Amino acid sequence: DAKTTQPTSMDCAEGRAANLPCNHSTISGNEYVYWYRQIHSQGPQYIIHGLKNNETNEMASLIITEDRKSSTLILPHATLRDTAVYYCIAVGYGNKLVFGAGTILRVKS
Amino acid sequence: DTGVSQDPRHKITKRGQNVTFRCDPISEHNRLYWYRQTLGQGPEFLTYFQNEAQLEKSRLLSDRFSAERPKGSFSTLEIQRTEQGDSAMYLCASSFGRFGPNEQFFGPGTRLTVL
């Protein structure tokens, strides 16, 4: 599975969009980009995933560059409850999730 | 809507004792995963079942660890002769699918403390 690189931490003002970048320059053609988040003391929670095209669901949007070497998770209107560790993971057919250190997102009022 | 459940939520044991954790996945999910998470780190994959078959096991998993999913439903993770380094959160996840990656639903975890 390809390695991903994320910033250690980010701050975002409540109500503003949170844009979380992820670099996955060695991603292979059959690997999907998955995003999970983990709120303190809870199990990780699935957010969104994509292969080539941009994706949107009720939680977030995922923008994947044309060369697939990087992506951005967008939380359109961040709230205090979005404070969490966000993990970007390249997932192949092996199914297992290989978590890195993730990005600590702090949403501030 | 019942999600993934894990039991117990907390376990304190003395070094050298055996412990067993249980995971009940979402009922129609055929895949089940175990992960371990230590403080300040992301979860680390331990093992994976598709139905009752254990299809992958991490090389980091010592032979003191064993996992079963006898009827393709609930799963147990046993740690024999626990060591202080086994102290961690043990997370279970489940998903449904045949081929390719799928969204995994995580349980709340079992926090193990080895004294």
Side-chain angles (χ1 to χ4, degrees):
Chain A
D1 296 324
K3 180 179 170 57
T4 62
T5 305
Q6 300 177 252
T8 303
S9 65
M10 295 181 63
D11 290 340
C12 177
E14 189 177 20
R16 304 297 293 269
N19 297 284
L20 291 87
C22 178
N23 181 287
H24 31 79
S25 57
T26 61
I27 197 168
S28 62
N30 66 350
E31 287 183 309
Y32 289 74
V33 179
Y34 271 71
W35 284 83
Y36 284 77
R37 73 180 182 184
Q38 190 171 25
I39 295 169
H40 183 62
S41 297
Q42 297 181 20
Q45 176 191 24
Y46 166 82
I47 302 172
I48 198 167
H49 75 279
L51 184 62
K52 296 180 183 178
N53 299 322
N54 299 336
E55 303 288 341
T56 295
N57 63 20
E58 64 279 2
M59 287 183 69
S61 295
L62 175 60
I63 309 297
I64 302 174
T65 58
E66 195 170 340
D67 63 8
R68 302 213 323 126
K69 292 185 177 183
S70 66
S71 61
T72 301
L73 177 75
I74 302 172
L75 306 178
H77 305 287
T79 71
L80 298 178
R81 287 177 293 184
D82 293 320
T83 293
V85 181
Y86 287 77
Y87 297 100
C88 168
I89 306 169
V91 185
Y93 288 115
N95 296 300
K96 67 184 179 189
L97 300 176
V98 180
F99 289 84
T103 296
I104 300 170
L105 175 68
R106 287 180 284 255
V107 180
K108 300 184 175 182
S109 58
Chain B
D1 177 28
T2 55
V4 177
S5 62
Q6 293 187 245
D7 184 70
R9 294 290 307 278
H10 303 273
K11 178 71 176 179
I12 300 174
T13 191
K14 292 183 179 179
R15 187 161 46 103
Q17 297 294 305
N18 299 344
V19 294
T20 300
F21 309 141
R22 177 180 170 122
C23 172
D24 286 273
I26 294 172
S27 59
E28 67 269 21
H29 284 185
N30 58 339
R31 295 175 172 174
L32 188 146
Y33 311 79
W34 286 98
Y35 295 84
R36 176 174 63 190
Q37 186 173 26
T38 54
L39 203 60
Q41 305 295 315
E44 173 188 41
F45 170 79
L46 294 179
T47 190
Y48 152 57
F49 291 84
Q50 181 144 322
N51 299 312
E52 64 276 7
Q54 188 173 18
L55 296 188
E56 189 172 351
K57 192 173 173 181
S58 169
R59 287 170 291 177
L60 301 174
L61 206 62
S62 81
D63 56 9
R64 295 184 298 104
F65 287 71
S66 62
E68 293 183 342
R69 195 183 182 199
K71 297 182 180 178
S73 56
F74 72 93
S75 175
T76 58
L77 177 69
E78 181 183 17
I79 309 174
Q80 295 183 326
R81 305 180 303 281
T82 53
E83 301 172 357
Q84 289 184 324
D86 297 331
S87 295
M89 175 75 84
Y90 289 83
L91 293 160
C92 176
S94 70
S95 70
F96 178 77
R98 294 185 62 193
F99 305 108
N102 305 99
E103 172 187 349
Q104 294 183 23
F105 293 81
F106 282 80
T110 294
R111 182 166 295 284
L112 173 66
T113 302
V114 182
L115 303 177

